[in-house]
Amino acid sequence: MSFRGFLLRDHFDTLLTALHKLGAHCVGPTVMDDSIHYTTLTSSTQLPQQVHDHQGPGHYRLSTSTESRWFAWANGAQALKPLVFVPQEILWRSERDSEGNLQFSNSKQEPPLTAVIGVRACDLAALALQDQHFLDGLEQDSAYARRRQQLILIAVNCTHPSANCFCHSSGDGPEVKQDYDLLLDELDDGFAVRSASPMGEKICQQLQLEALTNSQQDEIKHANLRAIEQQTKHLPEGNLEQALKNLQGSGRWQQIAERCLSCGNCTAVCPSCFCHSQHDEPAANSMSSAHIRQWDSCFSHGHSYIHGMVIHNETRFRYRQWLTHKFSGWFEQYGRSGCVGCGRCITWCPVGIDVTEELHALAEEYDNV
Amino acid sequence: MFDRQTPHEAIVVRRTQESDTIFSLGLRFSDDELNQQYRFQPGQFNMLYVFGIGEVPISIVSDPQSTDEVIHTIRTVGRVTRVLEKLKPGDRLGIRGPFGRGWPLASLQHRDILVVTGGLGCAPSVSIINYIMRRRQQFGRMAIIQGVKHSEDLIWRERYKEWMQLDNTQVLLAADVASHGWPWHVGLVTELLPQLDLDVSQAATMMCGPEMMMLATAKQLLEKRASAQNIWLSMERNMQCAVGLCGHCQYGPDFICKDGPVFSYADVQDRLPRRNI
Ligand SMILES: Cc1cc2nc3c(=O)[nH]c(=O)nc-3n(C[C@H](O)[C@H](O)[C@H](O)COP(=O)(O)OP(=O)(O)OC[C@H]3O[C@@H](n4cnc5c(N)ncnc54)[C@H](O)[C@@H]3O)c2cc1C
Ligand code: SF4
Ligand code: FES
């Protein structure tokens, strides 16, 4: 998409005003509890000011700097996932009357129009994966569909990938290419703006945009190239889909299991993981019951429970399920890998297991057999 | 097609105790329009919901053409099945379905059929036997091999005895452990394969039960020149949603709830030998 113009930093709040005028609830990144979270945004002063992030295996720290930019960091623990596939929600309710008759109902509540500011390339790629899973399968997930419809996506190109980012290698970033409404490139004094949808156009019309200079455009190109160069991690070359199918009996799984705590942090922060479980919560008077779905993880005991046994009864089988699903099973299920290179599973793993390192070790084993 | 993600109210119209721990429930939707719309294939399953407790996947054993009730044969094992066991005619529960891909029976007309099942009242195989018995002339020879752990676990002993009398039908029973007076084989179901009087290389084989039993049987059949495409088996994993969304039933790249539960052996032979997948 071509540039629509340049939004001065001092005018950034006009973007929020424009979104509010459209009836949207704005969500964006803010610093909370020493990390960056998406939260309701009413003013640009809530955006991370003078903040850099430092990530490594099992490591996340924010530091203050003289940085004038607001998006000079890579990512926090959350992606878009909690906004569309929420951690817990009621799927349906049942009511029982005194004669034992049952009535079932589900909520058809319209979620509010929600504009997310600061969406990264990996987030959009993961959203496209979740769309495939929740919307394009055998049956649509109506709760997901309702929220998804109400999203306005205001993306930002990454200029400061973290040491755990490998989206260039996965083919998903760092540059945002599609599936956004507005796209911002941050420069010192403001933001270059692109639009890729009727909604994006509508918003642009409300903004005071200046003309973009050639040197600004050059600066943006360079920033993109620098962001690619800064990425140090990458996925192994070759056919991981086949390699992992063949390596189900590898001794590597046990080696990983000796470090892995089976805590499920990796699946909770993974922007594409979709597993969930369901349970009932009956009301105290036992006349009604809520059927609830909740995020689950293939690292949990219950995930593979069938009566009398747990199929993935050891950590090595759980890690194998996770890695094999993400980097092999997804191809058959959704035509590509389930990994978008955001590096969250490396950062938020309490023992710092690095998925790229494990894949390199497995790929090497595959090449040698 | 109606909503398969929210249960619909159903009424227990019939309850049969099959053994100490196995019972059957005949169900009808309270809304008669749903009874008209509801269609299924043998080998498919429903999610049965007990108010305030939860849902369980249960196969359908009744005939796809009998629309007056949908029958489920259930073994009491835990939280939900213990409550299902207590239901009486007239009681209400929730039901959604049918789910998955069933047995390829429609494409097996005039073929010889081998059914191999292990374990207690293996419901998915019951649906096949019931289906074929009602359309006996549309199929060739039929052999049933049923294995149980303990001879006391065998349900429908009388029915098996009746089937043994039928033309073109062979029934072979095995118990790992047998009490006094068990007239049939003591040992594994695979040991009965040599006694089959049908040509397994031409027959269509359908199996359900423990994975290692199905694997051992399939391997022997392949040795006897059966083709992997002619062997089908029904798989089980934890199921929460039944529509390919919750991820629990994944088996390699397949979702058992929608890609199965019935698979051809050719589709799963790479995974079946490995437990814990
Ligand atoms: C496709 C399919 C068809 C089935 N058909 C039948 C049938 O016709 N008759 C029958 O008796 N049983 C059948 N089962 C097994 C039956 O679903 C379990 O015995 C039942 O879920 C146990 O639930 P529970 O709450 O009583 O036991 P608990 O052990 O208390 O289980 C608690 C929960 O674990 C899960 N769970 C436990 N065991 C299984 C299992 N084997 N498969 C899937 N989820 C499980 C369920 O979510 C269940 O609610 C089938 C399973 C599958 C997957
Ligand atoms: S099986 Fe594991 S890796 Fe796959 S989506 Fe579920 S939680 Fe994620
Ligand atoms: S039971 Fe949920 S995906 Fe199969």
Side-chain angles (χ1 to χ4, degrees):
Chain A
M1 291 297 142
S2 58
F3 289 100
R4 289 290 318 257
F6 190 76
L7 178 69
L8 287 172
R9 190 172 293 277
D10 291 344
H11 292 164
F12 190 85
D13 284 304
T14 60
L15 171 60
L16 299 184
T17 312
L19 291 164
H20 286 142
K21 264 202 207 143
L22 287 166
H25 163 233
C26 294
V27 167
T30 47
V31 174
M32 270 163 64
D33 303 330
D34 299 322
S35 66
I36 291 170
H37 292 263
Y38 279 118
T39 180
T40 298
L41 206 66
T42 50
S43 147
S44 60
T45 57
Q46 289 168 272
L47 291 168
Q49 314 279 340
Q50 303 182 329
V51 167
H52 280 311
D53 61 346
H54 304 272
Q55 303 191 34
H59 180 85
Y60 187 93
R61 292 282 178 284
L62 295 182
S63 66
T64 48
S65 65
T66 53
E67 179 65 62
S68 62
R69 298 187 185 188
W70 298 334
F71 296 91
W73 44 274
N75 53 23
Q78 298 158 294
L80 294 166
K81 181 166 92 169
L83 297 172
V84 267
F85 168 41
V86 299
Q88 176 163 324
E89 68 187 307
I90 296 176
L91 286 183
W92 41 265
R93 284 175 186 286
S94 49
E95 319 278 337
R96 182 169 65 176
D97 68 15
S98 53
E99 266 122 61
N101 297 310
L102 299 179
Q103 212 162 18
F104 298 93
S105 60
N106 39 24
S107 147
K108 296 268 186 287
Q109 213 179 24
E110 271 293 291
L113 190 64
T114 302
V116 196
I117 293 160
V119 180
R120 306 306 175 99
C122 60
D123 298 334
L124 288 174
L127 185 68
L129 284 176
Q130 292 233 314
D131 284 353
Q132 267 186 289
H133 178 72
F134 286 109
L135 303 178
D136 304 340
L138 175 74
E139 297 219 358
Q140 268 209 352
D141 188 289
S142 57
Y144 181 98
R146 281 200 302 276
R147 291 202 185 82
R148 179 66 181 90
Q149 248 173 7
Q150 296 291 74
L151 276 194
I152 301 175
L153 298 164
I154 303 190
V156 174
N157 269 326
C158 278
T159 49
H160 290 68
S162 86
N164 289 343
C165 291
F166 55 99
C167 62
H168 182 59
S169 158
S170 74
D172 298 299
E175 201 180 349
V176 171
K177 299 253 168 65
Q178 61 211 359
D179 301 333
Y180 58 86
D181 293 297
L182 281 192
L183 171 59
L184 309 178
D185 279 281
E186 185 173 29
L187 300 176
D188 282 340
D189 44 357
F191 298 84
V193 180
R194 284 176 262 199
S195 132
S197 71
M199 175 57 87
E201 276 309 310
K202 231 196 242 174
I203 301 165
C204 278
Q205 279 158 20
Q206 312 263 332
L207 302 177
Q208 271 180 46
L209 296 176
E210 326 251 312
L212 196 71
T213 66
N214 284 341
S215 75
Q216 282 175 319
Q217 297 203 24
D218 286 346
E219 203 186 323
I220 289 165
K221 260 189 223 143
H222 282 123
N224 266 316
L225 291 174
R226 250 199 336 273
I228 294 172
E229 283 160 14
Q230 279 169 30
Q231 299 198 1
T232 50
K233 288 193 193 302
H234 60 97
L235 293 167
E237 305 280 320
N239 186 342
L240 277 178
E241 180 187 8
Q242 194 52 47
L244 289 167
K245 277 188 185 167
N246 286 33
L247 288 169
Q248 295 291 290
S250 166
R252 186 78 190 179
W253 306 116
Q254 184 51 35
Q255 287 176 28
I256 303 168
E258 275 153 24
R259 289 168 280 146
C260 175
L261 307 176
S262 198
C263 67
N265 266 16
C266 51
T267 59
V269 295
C270 177
S272 72
C273 271
F274 51 68
C275 281
H276 54 271
S277 55
Q278 302 183 8
H279 68 273
D280 255 54
E281 274 179 23
N285 65 4
S286 18
M287 298 313 268
S288 75
S289 185
H291 193 74
I292 292 172
R293 80 135 148 237
Q294 192 171 7
W295 285 3
D296 197 1
S297 161
C298 53
F299 284 92
S300 76
H301 185 77
H303 191 277
S304 65
Y305 172 81
I306 66 174
H307 181 74
M309 70 194 282
V310 173
I311 307 264
H312 303 148
N313 59 347
E314 292 177 35
T315 300
R316 60 187 166 127
F317 301 132
R318 298 184 191 174
Y319 195 89
R320 182 177 72 181
Q321 162 64 28
W322 181 64
L323 208 75
T324 309
H325 180 217
K326 193 86 22 194
F327 293 92
S328 177
W330 275 83
F331 280 93
E332 206 165 299
Q333 293 173 351
Y334 302 107
R336 56 154 294 175
S337 139
C339 173
V340 296
C342 70
R344 288 186 175 89
C345 59
I346 310 174
T347 303
W348 301 96
C349 172
V351 295
I353 294 174
D354 179 340
V355 69
T356 62
E357 219 174 279
E358 300 310 330
L359 286 166
H360 278 283
L362 285 157
E364 202 170 305
E365 183 179 332
Y366 181 61
D367 288 341
N368 294 334
V369 291
Chain B
M1 189 147 57
F2 54 85
D3 182 3
R4 296 195 304 170
Q5 294 185 46
T6 316
H8 304 272
E9 188 193 57
I11 306 174
V12 178
V13 288
R14 197 147 58 108
R15 185 191 185 287
T16 319
Q17 193 73 36
E18 312 282 5
S19 80
D20 280 358
T21 56
I22 300 174
F23 59 97
S24 295
L25 295 178
L27 305 177
R28 270 185 79 78
F29 290 102
S30 308
D31 177 352
D32 212 39
E33 222 169 273
L34 293 181
N35 289 310
Q36 304 303 322
Q37 286 173 28
Y38 184 87
R39 289 285 171 276
F40 67 90
Q41 292 303 317
Q44 286 191 302
F45 65 97
N46 285 320
M47 294 298 280
L48 300 189
Y49 169 73
V50 173
F51 176 78
I53 304 202
E55 292 186 301
V56 286
I58 301 289
S59 308
I60 308 161
V61 297
S62 47
D63 194 89
Q65 265 163 7
S66 91
T67 47
D68 35 326
E69 57 177 336
V70 184
I71 305 176
H72 303 81
T73 296
I74 306 165
R75 182 158 75 100
T76 309
V77 294
R79 286 177 64 229
V80 177
T81 48
R82 259 199 292 275
V83 187
L84 287 171
E85 183 184 31
K86 298 206 179 73
L87 296 179
K88 305 175 299 299
D91 285 345
R92 321 268 156 154
L93 73 167
I95 175 171
R96 58 188 182 95
F99 299 110
R101 294 195 305 191
W103 304 105
L105 286 163
S107 68
L108 298 179
Q109 296 219 345
H110 312 299
R111 298 273 299 274
D112 288 352
I113 306 286
L114 169 61
V115 178
V116 183
T117 80
L120 289 175
C122 191
S125 67
V126 178
S127 69
I128 311 170
I129 302 172
N130 287 347
Y131 183 91
I132 293 178
M133 288 301 177
R134 284 182 74 157
R135 298 163 182 78
R136 196 62 197 84
Q137 65 300 341
Q138 293 174 22
F139 293 87
R141 299 188 60 75
M142 170 145 93
I144 302 164
I145 302 184
Q146 160 83 58
V148 286
K149 269 215 186 82
H150 195 278
S151 54
E152 303 299 311
D153 297 337
L154 184 73
I155 62 169
W156 298 320
R157 204 181 261 243
E158 292 314 309
R159 261 193 247 178
Y160 282 114
K161 282 189 184 158
E162 276 169 37
W163 293 336
M164 282 175 188
Q165 311 306 319
L166 298 176
D167 285 346
N168 277 332
T169 306
Q170 187 182 17
V171 180
L172 300 170
L173 302 173
D176 293 351
V177 181
S179 51
H180 189 70
W182 171 258
W184 299 294
H185 183 70
V186 180
L188 303 173
V189 293
T190 42
E191 291 159 3
L192 292 171
L193 292 171
Q195 294 180 33
L196 285 173
D197 50 22
L198 51 73
D199 177 1
V200 295
S201 72
Q202 297 306 309
T205 299
M206 289 173 272
M207 301 193 276
C208 75
E211 286 170 31
M212 292 305 132
M213 180 282 287
M214 296 195 285
L215 175 68
T217 308
K219 279 187 171 165
Q220 285 202 22
L221 294 173
L222 292 189
E223 276 168 27
K224 296 185 176 179
R225 315 187 129 206
S227 99
Q229 280 89 11
N230 269 334
I231 302 172
W232 284 272
L233 38 88
S234 184
M235 296 290 301
E236 274 190 28
R237 282 294 178 273
N238 186 300
M239 290 189 180
Q240 306 277 307
C241 71
V243 289
L245 292 172
C246 78
H248 280 256
C249 69
Q250 289 181 86
Y251 183 54
D254 291 311
F255 293 90
I256 290 180
C257 66
K258 64 175 176 143
D259 303 318
V262 174
F263 291 94
S264 107
Y265 181 65
D267 291 339
V268 295
Q269 59 185 350
D270 59 330
R271 285 160 260 167
L272 199 60
R274 218 170 268 294
R275 292 161 198 247
N276 313 101
I277 287 198

